[in-house]
Structures are given as C-alpha cells and as structure tokens.
C-alpha cells in the first residue's frame, strides 16, 4: 500500500531492546519524519562518507561490528514477510531511493566483516541509522 510501517524482528516485542524496530522505506521517507527533531536518516552519500572515513568497507565493518550496540545485527524482513539474518547481518536504509520500487541500503555482514551497498524493495523491513543535523 506504500504506507509507513514498522515491526519488531520476528514480530517479537522482546527484540525491542536488543535490535530495535525494522521499518519499511515509506516510514523512512514519511514527511512527518521518522528521526527525532534535530536528526535525520543517513543518506547513501553519508554512508559512503562513513566508509571513506574508516578507509574501506572492511575497516568500516570492523569498527561498526565492534560497536554493535550502535549497529546491532537485527537482520531484515523480506517483501514476502520472512525474517532473515538476525544476529549475523545488519541492514540499514538510506534516505536515498534507487528507483520507484527500491531504495539504497547498507548491509553489514558480521560473519565476513564487510559492508555492502545494496538495494531492497521499499516494502522490506530494515533498520535505520539517524545522524544529528
């Protein structure tokens, strides 16, 4: 329906404190604002700048994996409603769309220690990283 939505991982409220919520991209792009006042959802360029700051995808992944309380591997919810990767992968939306149906995201693979640029259908459920304005 292209409406903002969120869920807890595996639809289990007990995952709230460990992983937070998974949002569809319509929640990220909602004009009411997903981020708290004074904050915004990171754009794809801001994700790229973070990776450049650390040197490359592997070094960035090493740092972010060490700080897993800020980047917990919450996994994702597919467009079919299936949950995937909790505990081994983190998926974060950017505020940048790639097409009418898809948007850019970053995937942090905690096992292989790398960050990947990907697109996901906007109806998928991913985590969100907010930055201070």
């Amino acid at each position: 329906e292209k409406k903002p939505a969120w869920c807890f991982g595996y639809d289990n409220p007990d995952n709230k404190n460990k992983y937070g919520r998974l949002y569809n991209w319509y929640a990220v792009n909602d004009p009411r604002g997903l981020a708290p006042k004074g904050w915004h959802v990171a754009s794809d360029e801001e994700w790229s700048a973070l990776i450049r700051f650390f040197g490359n995808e592997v070094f960035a992944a090493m740092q972010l994996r060490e700080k897993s309380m800020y980047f917990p591997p919450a996994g994702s919810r597919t467009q079919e409603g299936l949950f995937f990767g909790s505990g081994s992968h983190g998926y974060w939306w950017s505020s940048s769309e790639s097409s009418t149906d898809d948007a850019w995201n970053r995937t942090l693979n905690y096992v292989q220690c790398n960050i990947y640029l990907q697109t996901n259908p906007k109806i998928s459920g991913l985590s969100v990283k907010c930055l201070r304005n």
Side-chain angles (χ1 to χ4, degrees):
E1 296 180 18
K2 299 185 178 186
K3 293 181 181 178
W6 64 268
C7 68
F8 294 116
Y10 296 93
D11 289 324
N12 183 348
D14 292 339
N15 287 323
K16 175 183 178 182
N17 293 331
K18 186 172 184 178
Y19 294 124
R21 296 175 179 172
L22 301 175
Y23 300 89
N24 68 16
W25 193 82
Y26 300 104
V28 171
N29 196 43
D30 189 336
R32 295 173 290 177
L34 176 66
K37 184 175 176 133
W39 294 73
H40 66 278
V41 176
S43 69
D44 185 59
E45 178 50 41
E46 289 170 317
W47 275 103
S48 294
L50 177 68
I51 291 167
R52 283 191 305 272
F53 174 79
F54 287 116
N56 63 39
E57 289 86 356
V58 173
F59 290 135
M62 289 170 62
Q63 290 297 313
L64 299 177
R65 189 173 69 172
E66 291 299 315
K67 296 171 179 35
S68 62
M69 65 181 279
Y70 300 113
F71 288 85
S76 69
R77 184 175 185 162
T78 68
Q79 63 185 353
E80 294 84 15
L82 304 174
F83 292 94
F84 170 81
S86 179
S88 65
H89 292 76
Y91 298 84
W92 290 272
W93 284 121
S94 77
S95 60
S96 309
E97 64 182 327
S98 60
S99 71
T100 304
D101 296 322
D102 299 324
W104 294 106
N105 73 279
R106 297 294 170 141
T107 300
L108 175 51
N109 182 326
Y110 282 68
V111 178
Q112 294 178 343
C113 196
N114 207 336
I115 295 179
Y116 304 96
L117 172 63
Q118 295 182 309
T119 62
N120 262 298
K122 292 177 180 178
I123 60 173
S124 301
L126 309 182
S127 298
V128 172
K129 187 66 178 166
C130 296
L131 301 176
R132 191 180 308 266
N133 293 342

